Short mmCIF file of all heavy atoms in Angstrom, two decimals:
data_model
loop_
_atom_site.label_atom_id
_atom_site.label_comp_id
_atom_site.label_asym_id
_atom_site.label_seq_id
_atom_site.Cartn_x
_atom_site.Cartn_y
_atom_site.Cartn_z
N GLY A 51 2.02 20.70 -21.40
CA GLY A 51 1.51 19.33 -21.41
C GLY A 51 0.44 19.06 -20.37
O GLY A 51 0.00 17.93 -20.19
N TRP A 52 0.00 20.10 -19.67
CA TRP A 52 -0.93 19.86 -18.55
C TRP A 52 -2.35 19.57 -19.01
O TRP A 52 -3.10 18.89 -18.33
CB TRP A 52 -0.94 21.07 -17.60
CG TRP A 52 0.42 21.33 -17.02
CD1 TRP A 52 1.47 20.44 -16.97
CD2 TRP A 52 0.89 22.53 -16.40
NE1 TRP A 52 2.56 21.03 -16.37
CE2 TRP A 52 2.23 22.30 -16.00
CE3 TRP A 52 0.30 23.76 -16.13
CZ2 TRP A 52 3.01 23.27 -15.37
CZ3 TRP A 52 1.06 24.73 -15.49
CH2 TRP A 52 2.40 24.48 -15.11
N ILE A 53 -2.74 20.10 -20.17
CA ILE A 53 -4.11 19.86 -20.62
C ILE A 53 -4.24 18.45 -21.16
O ILE A 53 -5.21 17.75 -20.91
CB ILE A 53 -4.53 20.92 -21.67
CG1 ILE A 53 -4.50 22.31 -21.02
CG2 ILE A 53 -5.91 20.61 -22.25
CD1 ILE A 53 -4.70 23.45 -21.98
N GLY A 54 -3.20 18.02 -21.88
CA GLY A 54 -3.24 16.68 -22.46
C GLY A 54 -2.66 15.61 -21.55
O GLY A 54 -2.44 14.48 -21.99
N LEU A 55 -2.44 15.97 -20.30
CA LEU A 55 -1.75 15.07 -19.36
C LEU A 55 -2.29 13.63 -19.38
O LEU A 55 -1.53 12.67 -19.41
CB LEU A 55 -1.89 15.65 -17.95
CG LEU A 55 -0.85 15.27 -16.93
CD1 LEU A 55 0.47 15.92 -17.26
CD2 LEU A 55 -1.31 15.71 -15.54
N THR A 56 -3.63 13.52 -19.40
CA THR A 56 -4.21 12.17 -19.31
C THR A 56 -4.63 11.63 -20.68
O THR A 56 -5.17 10.54 -20.77
CB THR A 56 -5.47 12.19 -18.40
OG1 THR A 56 -6.40 13.12 -18.97
CG2 THR A 56 -5.13 12.62 -17.00
N MET A 57 -4.41 12.42 -21.73
CA MET A 57 -4.84 11.96 -23.06
C MET A 57 -3.76 11.06 -23.67
O MET A 57 -2.59 11.15 -23.31
CB MET A 57 -5.14 13.16 -23.95
CG MET A 57 -6.24 14.06 -23.35
SD MET A 57 -6.58 15.51 -24.37
CE MET A 57 -7.32 16.61 -23.16
N PRO A 58 -4.16 10.19 -24.60
CA PRO A 58 -3.20 9.21 -25.14
C PRO A 58 -2.01 9.90 -25.84
O PRO A 58 -2.18 10.93 -26.48
CB PRO A 58 -4.01 8.42 -26.18
CG PRO A 58 -5.43 8.78 -25.97
CD PRO A 58 -5.49 10.05 -25.21
N GLU A 59 -0.85 9.29 -25.69
CA GLU A 59 0.36 9.86 -26.30
C GLU A 59 0.23 9.94 -27.81
O GLU A 59 0.67 10.91 -28.43
CB GLU A 59 1.58 9.02 -25.93
CG GLU A 59 2.12 9.36 -24.55
CD GLU A 59 3.31 8.49 -24.18
OE1 GLU A 59 3.08 7.30 -23.84
OE2 GLU A 59 4.45 8.99 -24.25
N ALA A 60 -0.40 8.92 -28.40
CA ALA A 60 -0.54 8.89 -29.85
C ALA A 60 -1.33 10.10 -30.37
O ALA A 60 -1.23 10.47 -31.53
CB ALA A 60 -1.23 7.60 -30.28
N GLN A 61 -2.12 10.70 -29.49
CA GLN A 61 -2.95 11.83 -29.92
C GLN A 61 -2.44 13.16 -29.37
O GLN A 61 -3.19 14.13 -29.24
CB GLN A 61 -4.41 11.63 -29.49
CG GLN A 61 -5.00 10.27 -29.81
CD GLN A 61 -5.06 10.01 -31.31
OE1 GLN A 61 -4.88 10.92 -32.12
NE2 GLN A 61 -5.27 8.76 -31.68
N GLY A 62 -1.18 13.18 -29.00
CA GLY A 62 -0.61 14.44 -28.54
C GLY A 62 -0.69 14.65 -27.04
O GLY A 62 -0.31 15.70 -26.53
#
Side-chain angles (χ1 to χ4, degrees):
Chain A
W52 300 342
I53 298 172
L55 205 71
T56 58
M57 301 179 202
E59 279 178 284
Q61 311 297 348

